[in-house]
Amino acid sequence: MSVRQFFNSPQNRTGISIWAGTMITASIQYFVFHQAISSIDLFGLILGFLKIVEPENTVTIPQLQKSITDIRALFARPTSESLVNAASDVNGFVKAIVD
């Protein structure tokens, strides 16, 4: 798939818009205003990423909620355990999309 075909797809543009807009908002919130990233922002990042990777995804709401909780824990206190939890969530997303 060429870059032009990718950007001609409305679903891909939607995913990029969700992800980029949320990334900019969350970055400003975290790095400029030094505020914790909200669950809604994390949800937007994950949803945008999933829309880019697989526009017709099969990821469930409980998987997204667990991922948001794990990513919040990773931002709040980066430990090896929180990193492993976040990575396992990504693995679950990949399995849900590929299977």
Side-chain angles (χ1 to χ4, degrees):
M1 172 187 277
S2 73
V3 174
R4 185 180 198 141
Q5 286 176 321
F6 180 82
F7 284 110
N8 281 336
S9 168
Q11 294 170 328
N12 290 338
R13 287 194 312 263
T14 299
I16 290 171
S17 298
I18 292 170
W19 188 85
T22 308
M23 178 60 79
I24 291 167
T25 302
S27 296
I28 290 170
Q29 182 178 336
Y30 188 75
F31 294 111
V32 175
F33 297 116
H34 305 290
Q35 297 175 346
I37 297 175
S38 70
S39 295
I40 299 299
D41 290 334
L42 292 174
F43 181 72
L45 290 172
I46 294 167
L47 182 63
F49 176 74
L50 291 175
K51 287 293 262 179
I52 293 168
V53 173
E54 180 64 38
E56 301 297 325
N57 67 59
T58 56
V59 176
T60 64
I61 296 297
Q63 282 177 305
L64 287 174
Q65 290 171 332
K66 181 180 180 314
S67 176
I68 289 169
T69 302
D70 290 342
I71 291 173
R72 272 188 90 94
L74 180 63
F75 276 110
R77 186 166 178 226
T79 63
S80 59
E81 182 180 343
S82 62
L83 181 61
V84 167
N85 289 339
S88 71
D89 292 337
V90 171
N91 186 36
F93 289 153
V94 170
K95 282 183 180 179
I97 291 169
V98 172
D99 290 342

